Amino acid sequence: MGLRRALHESWTVRAVDGDPHPPARSPSTAPAGVPATVPATVPGCVHTDLLAAGLIADPYLDDNETRLTWIGRTAWRYETVFDWAPTGHERTDLVCEGLDTVAVIELNGHRIGETANMHRSYRFDVAGALHAGENRLSVTFASPYAYAERLRAELGDRPGAYTEPYPFIRKMACNFGWDWGPTLVTSGIWRPIGLHAWSGTRIDEVRPLVSLRDGAARVDVHVRVESTDAAAPTEVTASLAGVTGRTVIPAGRPDGVITIQVPDPALWWPRGYGEQPLHELVVTAGDDTWRRDVGLREVRLGTEDGAFTLAVNGVDVFMRGVNWIPDDCFPTRVGRDRYAARLAQACEAGVNLVRVWGGGLYESEDFYDLCDRLGLMVWQDFAFACAAYPEEEPIRTEVEAEAREQVARLTPHPSLVLWCGNNENLQGHAEWGWPERLEGRSWGAGFYLETLPRIVAELDPTRPYWPGSPYSGSMDLPPNDPAHGTTHIWDVWNQRDYTAYRDYRPRLAAEFGFQAPAAYATVRRAVGDDPLRPDSPGMLHHQKAADGDLKLAAGLKPHFPPPETFDDWHYLTQVNQARAIRLGVEHFRSLWPYCAGSVVWQLNDCWPVTSWSAVDGDGRRKPLFHALRRAYADRLLTVQPRDGGLALAAVNDTGRPWRARALAVRHAFDGSALATQPLHLDVPPRAVVTLALDAPVAEPGDPAGELIAVCAGEERALWFFAPDRDLRLPEPRYDAVTERTPGGLLLTVTAHTLLRDLTVFPDRLDPTAEVDDQLVTLLPGERARFHVSAAGPQVDERALVRAPVLRCVNDVAAR
Ligand code: BMA
């Protein structure tokens, strides 16, 4: 147990001239006006310290990012002075949970350690350097650019999707900029730092590995200890669910295993499949104690004949997934509350799996703990993305150490269901011309095919490992072959109309995405342009994708008349994003169990930007969010082209059969019924049933003026026979009535004509206001209610029921 003392007080940071990490020198071009020392927050980073001191402009606003490159090209020294009184313990360690990135640590002038990996933690015995009274601790960070560029020069350049040197430093890759993120290269003490004084025995690592057999759970608790008395054996106990096991680790040995059998265990399930009971595991060794809530469950990955199907406790699970990127460029700003808010949004959208993408981080304990409690499965990439990585030293040793630490650290979390070697590096090597540019140099294959699977097999054989995404299960197959393993579908956003998602029959759609701008209030906060135009300077700066705006325009073209104003562009691109992803998700779900999941690119953003996200950089839901909620509903009705005609796919992702009468109706836009077909739904649990729609319903008399609606209870699927620009959508007519409620406003819209994708954007009137639904299509006579929360009295109720706040597609496409 010992004594722990955080060292988070009285830090300063200053630019230092030279790169302290031999041999390179790092240019420091801090502009005049940055004082010698700046008060620093630990945990934190230089950018947030300079921002707090008022020395730099907010990098998320306008194009301020472009004036901050010098920060990543500078070496920085963090320093603090603290008092220490002897504790009587035999050991005193400095524990650094995260240093970003290449650092020299000095205590009272003694060099006590060097680090070069943001994804690791460090512990240094500092008893020899520490003294009673005042102590001076400094952590000096080399310029990340200087370090990475030096290694790049030494090891030879590697091809990748970006020219930045991120493969040459073990630091969050997207810190160097991405096609949705700014280039803000940080330095700092990014996770807690402190002293740990202890004697006797310390529990260094606990790996509870869970397996199920014959109705019982077996937990092999692997315990590693450190002892100050090499001659003494260590008695270890582990208790879980009322069962206690014991072992004695012989003197001189670091580890032992205690096996606990839990008969008749309460199992952990993904959300939608059951509860998430957690059981406290308590491990003691000497007078040290370790406790953590663990879950009892088993995961298997089915890969027969190209499949990619996760089974939890023997039940195959459709992955209703989203990709997760770091929620902020400055990760210390993402605490438990932010994670909780974002993951709650994922749950609200019907998501059951979050893929932590390899260009970001291994997230903090809070993230995985919340996922455990919410029943969100986690697919964790190792931190490699979109580039060839050198396998030489010093990277090799760092990767080995980082992987060992992270695999061990995350073992207690039932939410973690899959380890994946990298993002798109196998595909990059196979398809993007890397071999010629590599000229025989290493590219990371050894990591993905040997190092990482070896470490997972050794430290956590209970979790499946997949070498990369996309990957087809064999290096002899094209990595992105849809018939095998995981597939990333990007030709659609880049080159094709989104209806082309239907050309894919993937075993798992692990990435597919479509862009749209951030919510209006987010754009307005981040961009000062006046007037705002899709191509005004701030908007362009907050669009990082290659030809992003051209692709947005190309994506709109087949569906809508060209938008004439910023507001029309903003609304239509958001509608188009939502329609694209909804179409993709519904198609992939209709292919279950052949296709075992859809993992949408991407849930979140790290700053305000036009991107593929469903929730923008200020945490606001885009219309896509609501489309996703519908597409990821437990029960889904969707009309799909099949065999030259149309069919209804009824997707039942619940544990109960779905038996219902359904009615398919072909309507004229005035609401009249032109043909009807009663259908009987009898969908077993976790299954899809596809029913052909008969010609009278499926074949339009007037494709520009008709639609199909299929209803079964609350569920409804719509089908239009032509894109909006070719429809004769009526001039919109409706009544909109607002009422004040305790929490905000209730808006009721009664349609007198067909209204397509009716959406209210209350953030245009009050940046704090939110609405509970968007993109509602109404037939004449139908009614929708929108709850607008947090709308203060300043919200003008008349403005709420007019464009650009209340909109439907008819506004722009009516003819
Ligand atoms: C894939 C992802 C990310 C990228 C996204 C959008 O390549 O893995 O690297 O941001 O597509 O282009």
Side-chain angles (χ1 to χ4, degrees), residues 162 178-180 355 357 386 423-424 488 490 511 601 612:
Y162 302 89
W178 218 259
D179 58 3
W180 35 256
R355 171 184 178 225
W357 164 80
C386 299
N423 176 73
E424 295 186 349
H488 292 193
W490 283 109
E511 279 188 15
W601 187 269
W612 300 265

Side-chain angles (χ1 to χ4, degrees), residues 245-480:
R246 271 167 230 290
T247 191
V248 174
I249 300 179
R253 268 198 62 97
D255 48 16
V257 189
I258 297 171
T259 296
I260 294 180
Q261 298 277 359
V262 183
D264 207 10
L267 297 181
W268 183 96
W269 291 94
R271 54 188 294 104
Y273 286 76
E275 303 290 309
Q276 291 79 43
L278 298 175
H279 311 266
E280 192 181 40
L281 169 63
V282 182
V283 177
T284 65
D287 67 353
D288 201 5
T289 307
W290 180 101
R291 18 179 118 237
R292 194 69 63 81
D293 288 339
V294 301
L296 305 177
R297 59 106 189 89
E298 190 170 72
V299 187
R300 293 272 155 85
L301 180 65
T303 57
E304 216 174 309
D305 297 329
F308 195 86
T309 307
L310 273 180
V312 179
N313 304 329
V315 177
D316 290 349
V317 175
F318 183 89
M319 292 175 239
R320 300 190 218 164
V322 283
N323 281 279
W324 170 277
I325 63 166
D327 207 57
D328 202 303
C329 302
F330 310 122
T332 36
R333 298 207 289 209
V334 187
R336 191 169 177 101
D337 290 353
R338 177 98 79 90
Y339 280 130
R342 203 65 66 245
L343 293 170
Q345 287 172 322
C347 294
E348 198 193 326
V351 164
N352 67 11
L353 175 136
V354 178
R355 171 184 178 225
V356 181
W357 164 80
L361 294 168
Y362 309 91
E363 298 286 346
S364 74
E365 282 304 301
D366 282 325
F367 175 89
Y368 303 96
D369 182 62
L370 285 161
C371 290
D372 293 344
R373 289 167 203 281
L374 293 167
L376 283 169
M377 297 179 285
V378 177
W379 154 345
Q380 178 71 47
D381 280 0
F382 285 97
F384 302 90
C386 299
Y389 281 73
E391 294 173 44
E392 291 88 331
E393 294 296 354
I395 302 292
R396 165 176 292 279
T397 298
E398 289 301 332
V399 166
E400 172 97 22
E402 158 193 332
R404 296 189 79 86
E405 175 172 344
Q406 298 297 344
V407 170
R409 172 173 79 99
L410 297 183
T411 51
H413 295 286
S415 54
L416 182 70
V417 295
L418 180 70
W419 280 106
C420 174
N422 71 79
N423 176 73
E424 295 186 349
N425 296 349
L426 303 174
Q427 181 183 19
H429 188 262
E431 293 178 18
W432 301 342
W434 291 1
E436 303 83 82
R437 290 160 65 196
L438 279 166
E439 295 170 350
R441 289 193 286 270
S442 65
W443 58 279
F447 294 152
Y448 319 131
L449 301 172
E450 290 161 28
T451 313
L452 300 174
R454 165 172 54 76
I455 290 170
V456 175
E458 178 193 331
L459 299 179
D460 186 359
T462 66
R463 256 91 180 189
Y465 171 85
W466 196 246
S469 190
Y471 180 62
S472 291
S474 155
M475 289 298 278
D476 296 332
L477 288 168
N480 208 25

